[in-house]
Amino acid sequence: MRGGTCMTWLEQGEKLWNENASFWSNGSKHMWDNGSRSGVVPFMKKYVPQGANILDVGCGDGYGSYLLAKEGYNVVGMDYSGEMVNTATGHNKEKNVSFVKGDMCHMPFEDGTFASIMAITSVEWTESPLQAVQEFYRVLEDGGKCCVAILGPTAKPRERSYQRLYGEKVVCNTMMPWEFGRLACENGFVHIDGYGVYKRGVEEICIADLSISLKQSLSFMWVFMLEKKA
């Protein structure tokens, strides 16, 4: 409670990530260089030309933004956690990257500002995924690419939503990869590519012949590449 009223979802989320900014930053580099996110920047390079303006939504400590900047992109990293933005600004000195505080459901940018968006496991932390998708559409130029990663059912951060079963407020929504894919395609995007990231023990040969929905059901994270329809 604050001032006699309950904190909003956005306020609760900001508090959570402000408190966990240092913890997150300690593991971020490994995730991007060698872990679950190591395929994201190469995937972006496959579809987004060098020099393009990219918005990194839910940038966290900014390491992903930094990697994109090193590849020659002009990057704006945005996060709703002030501590994350401060960490990102302090760590990254590339001239072609900057950081701002903002809510993905109400982004502080003009229509059609960016050629591409990257949002890696950030849409799960908003109260309204639909609003987020609509904002992605708004700030992208026609034909712009949108790379979004959604946590799969096996991802440990999904535990953040468990307490809803006891009637408690949580700040991690329960949207699954297949739901996000449908939501995006119903709101102005075309699916052009995607891949799964799996926990140890899930062998590629065992899932090769499965449908996309079954692969997503086994995933730790599913990465989408979408295109904005003109």
mmCIF file of all heavy atoms in Angstrom, residues 24 28 32 56 58-68 77 84 87-89 91-92 97 99:
data_model
loop_
_atom_site.group_PDB
_atom_site.id
_atom_site.type_symbol
_atom_site.label_atom_id
_atom_site.label_comp_id
_atom_site.label_asym_id
_atom_site.label_seq_id
_atom_site.Cartn_x
_atom_site.Cartn_y
_atom_site.Cartn_z
ATOM 1 N N TRP A 24 20.301 -8.877 -11.981
ATOM 2 C CA TRP A 24 20.113 -9.124 -13.405
ATOM 3 C C TRP A 24 21.386 -8.806 -14.186
ATOM 4 O O TRP A 24 21.816 -9.573 -15.048
ATOM 5 C CB TRP A 24 18.951 -8.288 -13.935
ATOM 6 C CG TRP A 24 18.755 -8.442 -15.409
ATOM 7 C CD1 TRP A 24 19.231 -7.618 -16.392
ATOM 8 C CD2 TRP A 24 18.068 -9.506 -16.070
ATOM 9 N NE1 TRP A 24 18.874 -8.101 -17.632
ATOM 10 C CE2 TRP A 24 18.157 -9.260 -17.459
ATOM 11 C CE3 TRP A 24 17.376 -10.636 -15.624
ATOM 12 C CZ2 TRP A 24 17.594 -10.101 -18.402
ATOM 13 C CZ3 TRP A 24 16.807 -11.471 -16.578
ATOM 14 C CH2 TRP A 24 16.918 -11.211 -17.940
ATOM 15 N N SER A 28 23.596 -10.947 -17.063
ATOM 16 C CA SER A 28 23.155 -10.545 -18.394
ATOM 17 C C SER A 28 24.188 -10.850 -19.479
ATOM 18 O O SER A 28 23.854 -11.386 -20.538
ATOM 19 C CB SER A 28 22.823 -9.053 -18.398
ATOM 20 O OG SER A 28 22.465 -8.612 -19.682
ATOM 21 N N TRP A 32 23.636 -13.210 -23.005
ATOM 22 C CA TRP A 32 23.752 -12.694 -24.363
ATOM 23 C C TRP A 32 24.938 -13.284 -25.110
ATOM 24 O O TRP A 32 24.867 -13.501 -26.327
ATOM 25 C CB TRP A 32 23.860 -11.169 -24.344
ATOM 26 C CG TRP A 32 22.569 -10.465 -24.104
ATOM 27 C CD1 TRP A 32 22.121 -9.950 -22.916
ATOM 28 C CD2 TRP A 32 21.540 -10.200 -25.058
ATOM 29 N NE1 TRP A 32 20.877 -9.382 -23.076
ATOM 30 C CE2 TRP A 32 20.495 -9.518 -24.384
ATOM 31 C CE3 TRP A 32 21.390 -10.465 -26.412
ATOM 32 C CZ2 TRP A 32 19.332 -9.101 -25.036
ATOM 33 C CZ3 TRP A 32 20.237 -10.050 -27.066
ATOM 34 C CH2 TRP A 32 19.224 -9.379 -26.369
ATOM 35 N N ASP A 56 15.086 -1.137 -28.485
ATOM 36 C CA ASP A 56 15.204 -2.309 -27.616
ATOM 37 C C ASP A 56 14.235 -2.112 -26.446
ATOM 38 O O ASP A 56 14.512 -1.338 -25.528
ATOM 39 C CB ASP A 56 16.645 -2.452 -27.125
ATOM 40 C CG ASP A 56 16.873 -3.682 -26.253
ATOM 41 O OD1 ASP A 56 15.938 -4.479 -26.096
ATOM 42 O OD2 ASP A 56 18.000 -3.831 -25.737
ATOM 43 N N GLY A 58 12.343 -3.010 -23.121
ATOM 44 C CA GLY A 58 12.679 -3.819 -21.956
ATOM 45 C C GLY A 58 14.151 -4.165 -21.983
ATOM 46 O O GLY A 58 14.548 -5.315 -21.815
ATOM 47 N N CYS A 59 14.970 -3.136 -22.177
ATOM 48 C CA CYS A 59 16.406 -3.335 -22.427
ATOM 49 C C CYS A 59 17.187 -3.808 -21.219
ATOM 50 O O CYS A 59 18.329 -4.250 -21.343
ATOM 51 C CB CYS A 59 17.023 -2.046 -22.967
ATOM 52 S SG CYS A 59 17.018 -0.668 -21.789
ATOM 53 N N GLY A 60 16.601 -3.704 -20.015
ATOM 54 C CA GLY A 60 17.327 -4.126 -18.823
ATOM 55 C C GLY A 60 18.605 -3.336 -18.646
ATOM 56 O O GLY A 60 18.615 -2.104 -18.751
ATOM 57 N N ASP A 61 19.708 -4.045 -18.413
ATOM 58 C CA ASP A 61 20.989 -3.368 -18.180
ATOM 59 C C ASP A 61 21.643 -2.886 -19.470
ATOM 60 O O ASP A 61 22.734 -2.315 -19.443
ATOM 61 C CB ASP A 61 21.950 -4.275 -17.417
ATOM 62 C CG ASP A 61 22.434 -5.440 -18.255
ATOM 63 O OD1 ASP A 61 21.752 -5.812 -19.225
ATOM 64 O OD2 ASP A 61 23.507 -5.997 -17.916
ATOM 65 N N GLY A 62 20.990 -3.110 -20.609
ATOM 66 C CA GLY A 62 21.448 -2.542 -21.870
ATOM 67 C C GLY A 62 22.496 -3.333 -22.614
ATOM 68 O O GLY A 62 22.988 -2.875 -23.650
ATOM 69 N N TYR A 63 22.819 -4.542 -22.156
ATOM 70 C CA TYR A 63 23.887 -5.283 -22.830
ATOM 71 C C TYR A 63 23.468 -5.700 -24.243
ATOM 72 O O TYR A 63 24.279 -5.669 -25.167
ATOM 73 C CB TYR A 63 24.316 -6.505 -22.014
ATOM 74 C CG TYR A 63 25.587 -7.125 -22.534
ATOM 75 C CD1 TYR A 63 26.809 -6.460 -22.399
ATOM 76 C CD2 TYR A 63 25.584 -8.354 -23.186
ATOM 77 C CE1 TYR A 63 27.981 -7.004 -22.901
ATOM 78 C CE2 TYR A 63 26.751 -8.909 -23.683
ATOM 79 C CZ TYR A 63 27.951 -8.230 -23.535
ATOM 80 O OH TYR A 63 29.112 -8.775 -24.048
ATOM 81 N N GLY A 64 22.214 -6.087 -24.424
ATOM 82 C CA GLY A 64 21.728 -6.415 -25.761
ATOM 83 C C GLY A 64 21.769 -5.206 -26.685
ATOM 84 O O GLY A 64 22.125 -5.317 -27.869
ATOM 85 N N SER A 65 21.417 -4.040 -26.158
ATOM 86 C CA SER A 65 21.488 -2.797 -26.934
ATOM 87 C C SER A 65 22.927 -2.518 -27.356
ATOM 88 O O SER A 65 23.202 -2.127 -28.503
ATOM 89 C CB SER A 65 20.968 -1.620 -26.106
ATOM 90 O OG SER A 65 19.647 -1.812 -25.675
ATOM 91 N N TYR A 66 23.832 -2.724 -26.430
ATOM 92 C CA TYR A 66 25.264 -2.520 -26.692
ATOM 93 C C TYR A 66 25.746 -3.425 -27.822
ATOM 94 O O TYR A 66 26.471 -2.990 -28.728
ATOM 95 C CB TYR A 66 26.038 -2.776 -25.408
ATOM 96 C CG TYR A 66 27.517 -3.011 -25.590
ATOM 97 C CD1 TYR A 66 28.388 -1.960 -25.894
ATOM 98 C CD2 TYR A 66 28.058 -4.289 -25.445
ATOM 99 C CE1 TYR A 66 29.748 -2.183 -26.056
ATOM 100 C CE2 TYR A 66 29.409 -4.518 -25.597
ATOM 101 C CZ TYR A 66 30.259 -3.467 -25.912
ATOM 102 O OH TYR A 66 31.599 -3.694 -26.087
ATOM 103 N N LEU A 67 25.325 -4.699 -27.804
ATOM 104 C CA LEU A 67 25.745 -5.629 -28.850
ATOM 105 C C LEU A 67 25.221 -5.192 -30.219
ATOM 106 O O LEU A 67 25.930 -5.291 -31.228
ATOM 107 C CB LEU A 67 25.259 -7.039 -28.530
ATOM 108 C CG LEU A 67 25.892 -7.724 -27.319
ATOM 109 C CD1 LEU A 67 25.267 -9.102 -27.103
ATOM 110 C CD2 LEU A 67 27.404 -7.861 -27.490
ATOM 111 N N LEU A 68 23.986 -4.710 -30.254
ATOM 112 C CA LEU A 68 23.431 -4.210 -31.518
ATOM 113 C C LEU A 68 24.209 -2.982 -32.000
ATOM 114 O O LEU A 68 24.508 -2.847 -33.197
ATOM 115 C CB LEU A 68 21.960 -3.856 -31.350
ATOM 116 C CG LEU A 68 20.984 -5.018 -31.191
ATOM 117 C CD1 LEU A 68 19.587 -4.488 -30.878
ATOM 118 C CD2 LEU A 68 20.934 -5.880 -32.445
ATOM 119 N N GLY A 77 17.541 2.090 -26.191
ATOM 120 C CA GLY A 77 17.084 1.103 -25.219
ATOM 121 C C GLY A 77 16.070 1.751 -24.286
ATOM 122 O O GLY A 77 16.296 2.868 -23.804
ATOM 123 N N MET A 84 17.418 0.108 -13.924
ATOM 124 C CA MET A 84 17.937 -0.556 -15.120
ATOM 125 C C MET A 84 18.473 0.473 -16.110
ATOM 126 O O MET A 84 19.558 0.298 -16.693
ATOM 127 C CB MET A 84 16.846 -1.400 -15.777
ATOM 128 C CG MET A 84 16.494 -2.666 -15.029
ATOM 129 S SD MET A 84 17.821 -3.902 -15.081
ATOM 130 C CE MET A 84 16.869 -5.375 -14.638
ATOM 131 N N THR A 87 21.748 1.822 -14.888
ATOM 132 C CA THR A 87 22.807 0.825 -15.081
ATOM 133 C C THR A 87 23.239 0.783 -16.539
ATOM 134 O O THR A 87 24.428 0.778 -16.856
ATOM 135 C CB THR A 87 22.320 -0.573 -14.641
ATOM 136 O OG1 THR A 87 21.988 -0.548 -13.261
ATOM 137 C CG2 THR A 87 23.402 -1.627 -14.878
ATOM 138 N N ALA A 88 22.259 0.754 -17.439
ATOM 139 C CA ALA A 88 22.556 0.701 -18.871
ATOM 140 C C ALA A 88 23.345 1.926 -19.317
ATOM 141 O O ALA A 88 24.330 1.821 -20.058
ATOM 142 C CB ALA A 88 21.256 0.590 -19.660
ATOM 143 N N THR A 89 22.928 3.098 -18.851
ATOM 144 C CA THR A 89 23.602 4.337 -19.235
ATOM 145 C C THR A 89 25.038 4.360 -18.717
ATOM 146 O O THR A 89 25.954 4.802 -19.421
ATOM 147 C CB THR A 89 22.828 5.554 -18.699
ATOM 148 O OG1 THR A 89 21.492 5.517 -19.216
ATOM 149 C CG2 THR A 89 23.492 6.854 -19.109
ATOM 150 N N HIS A 91 26.986 1.748 -18.076
ATOM 151 C CA HIS A 91 27.832 0.681 -18.622
ATOM 152 C C HIS A 91 28.180 0.884 -20.092
ATOM 153 O O HIS A 91 29.204 0.372 -20.553
ATOM 154 C CB HIS A 91 27.124 -0.668 -18.494
ATOM 155 C CG HIS A 91 27.161 -1.209 -17.096
ATOM 156 N ND1 HIS A 91 26.598 -2.416 -16.750
ATOM 157 C CD2 HIS A 91 27.698 -0.714 -15.955
ATOM 158 C CE1 HIS A 91 26.790 -2.635 -15.457
ATOM 159 N NE2 HIS A 91 27.430 -1.607 -14.960
ATOM 160 N N ASN A 92 27.339 1.587 -20.830
ATOM 161 C CA ASN A 92 27.483 1.618 -22.285
ATOM 162 C C ASN A 92 27.901 2.994 -22.775
ATOM 163 O O ASN A 92 27.216 3.984 -22.527
ATOM 164 C CB ASN A 92 26.158 1.213 -22.933
ATOM 165 C CG ASN A 92 25.767 -0.213 -22.594
ATOM 166 O OD1 ASN A 92 26.353 -1.154 -23.087
ATOM 167 N ND2 ASN A 92 24.772 -0.367 -21.734
ATOM 168 N N VAL A 97 24.149 4.498 -29.216
ATOM 169 C CA VAL A 97 23.158 3.895 -28.339
ATOM 170 C C VAL A 97 22.809 4.871 -27.216
ATOM 171 O O VAL A 97 23.682 5.557 -26.690
ATOM 172 C CB VAL A 97 23.643 2.543 -27.754
ATOM 173 C CG1 VAL A 97 24.898 2.714 -26.916
ATOM 174 C CG2 VAL A 97 22.548 1.866 -26.937
ATOM 175 N N PHE A 99 19.598 5.549 -23.869
ATOM 176 C CA PHE A 99 18.618 4.849 -23.048
ATOM 177 C C PHE A 99 17.604 5.828 -22.471
ATOM 178 O O PHE A 99 17.937 6.954 -22.092
ATOM 179 C CB PHE A 99 19.312 4.089 -21.919
ATOM 180 C CG PHE A 99 20.257 3.040 -22.420
ATOM 181 C CD1 PHE A 99 21.608 3.323 -22.576
ATOM 182 C CD2 PHE A 99 19.793 1.786 -22.783
ATOM 183 C CE1 PHE A 99 22.486 2.365 -23.067
ATOM 184 C CE2 PHE A 99 20.656 0.824 -23.281
ATOM 185 C CZ PHE A 99 21.996 1.116 -23.425
#
